Amino acid sequence: MNFTHEKPFIAGNWKMFKTVPEAVEMVQKLHEASLGLEKAQFVVVPPFTALYEVSRALQGSPVQVGAQNMYWEEQGAFTGEVSAPMLKDIGCIYVVIGHSERRQYFGETNETVNNKIKAALNHGLVPIMCIGESLEERENGNTITKVQSQIIEGLKGLEAEKVRQIIIAYEPIWAIGTGLTATPDQAQEVHRFIRSNLAEKHGNDVASCAIILYGGSVKPENSYSLLKEKDINGALVGGASLKAESFAEIAKKAIKAYEEK
Ligand code: PGA
């Protein structure tokens, strides 16, 4: 996968929303709404149950599909889990790994994130690794330390050529689903740090090509100012991705910001 910085990368994480018919209706609308928006790279991330139908509905569309999670083993007695080859099989290109809701409610750690990232890469999926600090960590001045340990441990043991194939999403936990957004300055500060950390550990080439998304209450009203920041290459959108109109509107603003950067 060759990443481009020419287009903003706009991914919609639907979380545990939408039945199969609702999901298919949504992608049809999104496909229509995204026509003429070829200057953005769209990805939808439906729940597992809708992945197959969504991926079929998007055949021939530039909109791509990702999953919200996966397990690191290929197959076996792991009741309730889904593997990377299974996701590949139904047309997934991306997989979100280590979302803060998974870390918070389902016991994911940097170690499980690392295992999943390695398995995803081995099977040709592009991991979108989520990192971010809690409100308490931010208030105590520990944002950078937290994000740094998540990057270092999440990417442990990976060669530069593998790190190059990973997308990182910075999502401050206090901004997810709360309506609170990091200001463009706050977000840029962390994004700049992430890029410099990648440069230090994996080389300038990896850092300059890296796609770093911002997530946390991204909406049409703030996507322009966030995407205008130098180190913000796209958005991981939750709530506002559930409607095709707002998702496309976010992309329009992001494209404008990109053109003016
Ligand atoms: P939100 O979610 O846009 O609803 O804040 C973002 C996310 O969880 O990825």
Side-chain angles (χ1 to χ4, degrees), residues 13 15 99-101 171 175-178 215-218 236-240:
N13 170 15
K15 309 193 179 187
H99 188 280
S100 64
E101 287 150 15
E171 300 203 300
I176 297 180
T178 56
S217 298
V218 174
L236 181 53
V237 187

Side-chain angles (χ1 to χ4, degrees), residues 12-29:
N13 170 15
W14 296 356
K15 309 193 179 187
M16 201 172 72
F17 290 98
K18 295 193 188 292
T19 60
V20 174
E22 286 166 353
V24 170
E25 191 192 338
M26 165 71 189
V27 289
Q28 277 155 356
K29 280 197 195 149

Side-chain angles (χ1 to χ4, degrees), residues 176-193:
I176 297 180
T178 56
L180 295 172
T181 323
T183 63
D185 281 352
Q186 284 173 322
Q188 166 60 22
E189 189 193 349
V190 181
H191 279 237
R192 188 193 307 116
F193 169 76

